[in-house]
Amino acid sequence: AAGVIQSPRHLIKEKRETATLKCYPIPRHDTVYWYQQGPGQDPQFLISFYEKMQSDKGSIPDRFSAQQFSDYHSELNMSSLELGDSALYFCASSFGGAASNEQYFGPGTRLTVT
Amino acid sequence: EDKVVQSPLSLVVHEGDTVTLNCSYEVTNFRSLLWYKQEKKAPTFLFMLTSSGIEKKSGRLSSILDKKELSSILNITATQTGDSAIYLCAVLIQGAQKLVFGQGTRLTINP
Protein backbone atom coordinates (compact mmCIF):
# COMPACT_ATOMS: atom_id res chain seq x y z
CA ALA A 1 0.00 0.00 0.00
CA ALA A 2 1.14 3.54 -0.68
CA GLY A 3 2.64 5.33 2.28
CA VAL A 4 3.39 8.92 3.16
CA ILE A 5 6.22 10.27 1.04
CA GLN A 6 8.58 12.96 2.21
CA SER A 7 11.24 14.73 0.23
CA PRO A 8 14.04 15.25 0.43
CA ARG A 9 15.10 12.54 2.89
CA HIS A 10 18.23 14.47 3.83
CA LEU A 11 18.99 18.16 3.57
CA ILE A 12 22.01 20.17 4.57
CA LYS A 13 21.73 23.92 4.76
CA GLU A 14 23.77 26.76 6.18
CA LYS A 15 22.63 29.22 8.83
CA ARG A 16 20.29 31.90 7.56
CA GLU A 17 19.39 29.88 4.45
CA THR A 18 15.90 28.73 3.52
CA ALA A 19 14.62 25.16 3.29
CA THR A 20 11.44 23.64 1.89
CA LEU A 21 10.27 20.21 2.98
CA LYS A 22 7.59 18.37 1.06
CA CYS A 23 5.03 15.83 2.17
CA TYR A 24 2.78 13.70 -0.03
CA PRO A 25 0.02 12.07 1.99
CA ILE A 26 -1.47 8.67 1.43
CA PRO A 27 -3.96 8.85 -1.47
CA ARG A 28 -7.39 10.07 -0.32
CA HIS A 29 -6.02 11.36 2.98
CA ASP A 30 -7.11 14.97 3.52
CA THR A 31 -5.18 15.85 6.68
CA VAL A 32 -1.47 16.47 7.08
CA TYR A 33 0.53 16.92 10.29
CA TRP A 34 4.09 18.16 10.75
CA TYR A 35 6.32 17.15 13.67
CA GLN A 36 9.86 18.12 14.64
CA GLN A 37 12.15 15.79 16.56
CA GLY A 38 15.45 17.23 17.72
CA PRO A 39 18.47 15.03 18.50
CA GLY A 40 17.73 12.96 21.58
CA GLN A 41 14.41 14.73 22.05
CA ASP A 42 10.79 13.75 21.86
CA PRO A 43 8.72 14.75 18.82
CA GLN A 44 6.96 18.09 18.91
CA PHE A 45 3.82 18.88 16.96
CA LEU A 46 4.26 21.86 14.65
CA ILE A 47 1.14 22.36 12.57
CA SER A 48 -1.63 20.49 10.77
CA PHE A 49 -3.91 21.07 7.81
CA TYR A 50 -7.34 19.67 7.02
CA GLU A 51 -8.84 20.17 3.58
CA LYS A 52 -6.19 22.76 2.73
CA MET A 53 -6.92 24.90 5.76
CA GLN A 54 -4.74 25.13 8.86
CA SER A 55 -6.47 23.10 11.54
CA ASP A 56 -4.09 23.10 14.50
CA LYS A 57 -0.95 24.96 15.40
CA GLY A 58 1.68 23.81 17.85
CA SER A 59 5.15 25.02 18.65
CA ILE A 60 5.99 26.28 15.17
CA PRO A 61 8.43 29.22 15.05
CA ASP A 62 7.37 32.36 13.20
CA ARG A 63 10.24 31.72 10.76
CA PHE A 64 8.42 28.62 9.56
CA SER A 65 5.32 28.54 7.41
CA ALA A 66 3.39 25.73 5.85
CA GLN A 67 0.51 25.14 3.50
CA GLN A 68 -1.52 22.35 1.99
CA PHE A 69 -2.17 22.41 -1.72
CA SER A 70 -5.16 21.39 -3.83
CA ASP A 71 -3.68 17.91 -4.36
CA TYR A 72 -3.35 17.64 -0.53
CA HIS A 73 0.41 17.60 -0.51
CA SER A 74 1.98 19.95 2.01
CA GLU A 75 5.13 22.01 2.17
CA LEU A 76 6.95 23.28 5.22
CA ASN A 77 8.98 26.40 4.50
CA MET A 78 11.73 27.31 6.90
CA SER A 79 13.55 30.60 6.63
CA SER A 80 16.52 32.17 8.43
CA LEU A 81 17.62 28.73 9.50
CA GLU A 82 19.33 28.38 12.84
CA LEU A 83 21.59 25.63 14.15
CA GLY A 84 18.80 24.59 16.51
CA ASP A 85 16.56 23.79 13.55
CA SER A 86 18.64 20.68 12.88
CA ALA A 87 16.18 17.86 13.46
CA LEU A 88 14.15 15.10 11.93
CA TYR A 89 10.94 16.46 10.47
CA PHE A 90 8.09 14.02 10.21
CA CYS A 91 4.95 14.41 8.20
CA ALA A 92 1.87 12.34 8.93
CA SER A 93 -1.44 12.04 7.15
CA SER A 94 -4.90 10.89 8.04
CA PHE A 95 -8.42 10.93 6.67
CA GLY A 96 -11.15 12.93 8.31
CA GLY A 97 -9.29 15.65 10.18
CA ALA A 98 -9.53 15.69 13.95
CA ALA A 99 -12.13 12.93 13.83
CA SER A 100 -9.49 10.43 12.73
CA ASN A 101 -7.64 8.49 15.40
CA GLU A 102 -4.94 7.16 13.08
CA GLN A 103 -2.04 9.08 11.64
CA TYR A 104 0.33 7.48 9.18
CA PHE A 105 3.87 8.77 9.32
CA GLY A 106 6.38 9.35 6.56
CA PRO A 107 10.03 8.35 6.88
CA GLY A 108 11.05 11.87 7.83
CA THR A 109 13.43 14.49 6.43
CA ARG A 110 16.67 14.91 8.30
CA LEU A 111 17.66 18.57 8.20
CA THR A 112 21.16 19.55 9.21
CA VAL A 113 21.97 23.23 9.59
CA THR A 114 25.68 24.09 9.61
CA GLU B 1 -7.55 -3.70 14.27
CA ASP B 2 -5.20 -1.51 16.29
CA LYS B 3 -6.93 0.00 19.29
CA VAL B 4 -6.04 2.42 22.08
CA VAL B 5 -8.47 2.87 24.96
CA GLN B 6 -8.25 5.50 27.66
CA SER B 7 -10.02 5.68 30.98
CA PRO B 8 -11.72 7.43 32.48
CA LEU B 9 -13.15 9.48 29.62
CA SER B 10 -13.85 12.32 32.00
CA LEU B 11 -12.56 13.21 35.44
CA VAL B 12 -13.34 16.11 37.77
CA VAL B 13 -11.24 16.67 40.88
CA HIS B 14 -10.30 19.46 43.27
CA GLU B 15 -7.09 21.40 43.13
CA GLY B 16 -4.35 19.60 45.04
CA ASP B 17 -5.68 16.13 44.33
CA THR B 18 -3.60 13.47 42.61
CA VAL B 19 -4.97 11.87 39.46
CA THR B 20 -4.08 8.75 37.50
CA LEU B 21 -5.06 8.44 33.87
CA ASN B 22 -5.03 5.06 32.17
CA CYS B 23 -4.23 3.95 28.65
CA SER B 24 -4.40 0.41 27.32
CA TYR B 25 -3.65 -0.80 23.84
CA GLU B 26 -4.05 -3.71 21.48
CA VAL B 27 -1.83 -3.21 18.47
CA THR B 28 -0.09 -5.34 15.91
CA ASN B 29 3.45 -4.12 16.33
CA PHE B 30 4.11 -1.78 19.22
CA ARG B 31 6.95 0.72 19.00
CA SER B 32 6.26 3.51 21.49
CA LEU B 33 3.48 5.07 23.53
CA LEU B 34 3.05 8.81 23.65
CA TRP B 35 1.10 11.10 25.98
CA TYR B 36 -0.16 14.53 24.90
CA LYS B 37 -1.95 17.38 26.68
CA GLN B 38 -4.48 19.18 24.54
CA GLU B 39 -5.84 22.56 25.58
CA LYS B 40 -8.08 24.34 23.10
CA LYS B 41 -6.66 22.88 19.88
CA ALA B 42 -2.92 22.33 19.64
CA PRO B 43 -1.57 19.23 21.41
CA THR B 44 1.48 19.50 23.63
CA PHE B 45 3.76 16.51 23.76
CA LEU B 46 4.36 15.17 27.28
CA PHE B 47 6.14 11.81 27.19
CA MET B 48 7.28 9.09 24.85
CA LEU B 49 7.63 5.65 26.43
CA THR B 50 9.38 2.79 24.72
CA SER B 51 10.78 0.65 27.49
CA SER B 52 8.68 -1.06 30.11
CA GLY B 53 9.08 -0.16 33.77
CA ILE B 54 11.05 3.03 33.32
CA GLU B 55 9.28 6.02 34.77
CA LYS B 56 9.49 9.31 32.94
CA LYS B 57 9.01 12.40 35.05
CA SER B 58 8.49 16.06 34.35
CA GLY B 59 7.63 18.21 37.33
CA ARG B 60 4.34 17.02 38.79
CA LEU B 61 3.71 14.68 35.86
CA SER B 62 5.03 11.17 35.54
CA SER B 63 4.29 8.21 33.33
CA ILE B 64 5.23 4.58 33.08
CA LEU B 65 4.71 1.82 30.53
CA ASP B 66 3.82 -1.79 31.31
CA LYS B 67 4.36 -3.85 28.16
CA LYS B 68 3.23 -7.02 29.89
CA GLU B 69 -0.14 -5.47 30.71
CA LEU B 70 -0.20 -3.48 27.43
CA SER B 71 -0.91 -0.31 29.32
CA SER B 72 0.44 2.96 30.60
CA ILE B 73 -0.53 5.41 33.31
CA LEU B 74 -0.08 9.14 33.55
CA ASN B 75 0.08 10.55 37.08
CA ILE B 76 -0.40 14.18 37.99
CA THR B 77 0.26 15.14 41.61
CA ALA B 78 -0.82 18.32 43.42
CA THR B 79 -3.10 19.22 40.52
CA GLN B 80 -3.65 22.84 39.55
CA THR B 81 -6.44 24.47 37.54
CA GLY B 82 -3.96 24.85 34.68
CA ASP B 83 -3.84 21.06 34.40
CA SER B 84 -7.40 21.10 33.06
CA ALA B 85 -7.18 19.72 29.54
CA ILE B 86 -7.77 16.66 27.40
CA TYR B 87 -5.00 14.11 27.85
CA LEU B 88 -4.37 11.96 24.79
CA CYS B 89 -2.56 8.66 24.66
CA ALA B 90 -1.23 7.41 21.32
CA VAL B 91 0.67 4.33 20.22
CA LEU B 92 3.22 4.38 17.43
CA ILE B 93 3.05 1.25 15.30
CA GLN B 94 6.33 -0.13 14.06
CA GLY B 95 6.61 -0.66 10.33
CA ALA B 96 3.25 0.90 9.48
CA GLN B 97 4.54 4.25 10.64
CA LYS B 98 1.13 4.74 12.18
CA LEU B 99 0.12 6.66 15.30
CA VAL B 100 -3.15 5.49 16.82
CA PHE B 101 -4.82 7.76 19.35
CA GLY B 102 -7.12 6.95 22.21
CA GLN B 103 -10.33 8.88 22.80
CA GLY B 104 -8.71 11.11 25.39
CA THR B 105 -9.47 11.82 29.04
CA ARG B 106 -11.05 15.18 29.78
CA LEU B 107 -9.60 16.33 33.08
CA THR B 108 -11.19 19.22 34.96
CA ILE B 109 -9.55 20.66 38.05
CA ASN B 110 -11.84 22.74 40.22
CA PRO B 111 -10.41 25.38 42.55
Side-chain angles (χ1 to χ4, degrees):
Chain A
V4 177
I5 296 171
Q6 290 188 244
S7 69
R9 293 293 306 277
H10 300 272
L11 188 60
I12 299 175
K13 289 283 185 178
E14 293 188 355
K15 272 178 19 176
R16 291 180 287 278
E17 283 193 319
T18 297
T20 297
L21 309 186
K22 296 185 180 182
C23 170
Y24 297 87
I26 290 172
R28 290 187 297 280
H29 278 194
D30 52 15
T31 309
V32 168
Y33 311 79
W34 285 98
Y35 296 85
Q36 177 192 56
Q37 185 169 22
Q41 295 180 8
D42 296 319
Q44 298 291 326
F45 169 75
L46 293 178
I47 195 166
S48 64
F49 292 88
Y50 169 58
E51 280 292 343
K52 294 154 278 184
M53 300 283 288
Q54 181 184 306
S55 54
D56 282 319
K57 193 171 180 181
S59 48
I60 184 168
D62 292 340
R63 300 176 289 108
F64 294 6
S65 65
Q67 58 181 323
Q68 186 179 32
F69 294 86
S70 57
D71 63 351
Y72 295 105
H73 94 272
S74 177
E75 293 183 356
L76 177 65
N77 296 296
M78 309 156 73
S79 62
S80 302
L81 287 170
E82 302 173 357
L83 296 178
D85 296 328
S86 295
L88 194 54
Y89 290 84
F90 288 105
C91 168
S93 75
S94 69
F95 177 75
S100 169
N101 72 337
E102 292 185 348
Q103 296 180 23
Y104 289 78
F105 277 68
T109 293
R110 185 168 293 283
L111 171 67
T112 303
V113 181
T114 60
Chain B
E1 184 191 345
D2 296 319
K3 194 165 61 172
V4 177
V5 177
Q6 292 184 244
S7 65
L9 293 182
S10 180
L11 185 58
V12 181
V13 299
H14 289 293
E15 211 169 11
D17 288 352
T18 293
V19 297
T20 298
L21 310 185
N22 300 285
C23 175
S24 63
Y25 58 90
E26 286 180 38
V27 301
T28 48
N29 204 353
F30 175 89
R31 181 173 174 183
S32 305
L33 186 144
L34 296 84
W35 283 98
Y36 293 86
K37 177 183 180 182
Q38 187 161 28
E39 298 169 275
K40 295 176 186 176
K41 282 203 167 185
T44 304
F45 177 82
L46 295 175
F47 300 110
M48 175 185 265
L49 305 160
T50 306
S51 301
S52 200
I54 298 173
E55 185 184 50
K56 285 210 171 181
K57 202 168 166 65
S58 176
R60 296 176 294 104
L61 277 68
S62 63
S63 183
I64 196 162
L65 175 68
D66 186 338
K67 282 189 179 178
K68 196 173 170 184
E69 296 295 324
L70 305 183
S71 65
S72 174
I73 58 169
L74 174 68
N75 279 319
I76 309 176
T77 60
T79 52
Q80 301 170 359
T81 53
D83 295 328
S84 295
I86 295 173
Y87 289 83
L88 293 166
C89 168
V91 171
L92 185 61
I93 310 297
Q94 182 102 12
Q97 293 278 73
K98 184 169 75 171
L99 191 64
V100 181
F101 285 86
Q103 327 91 299
T105 293
R106 182 178 291 277
L107 177 64
T108 303
I109 311 296
N110 288 327

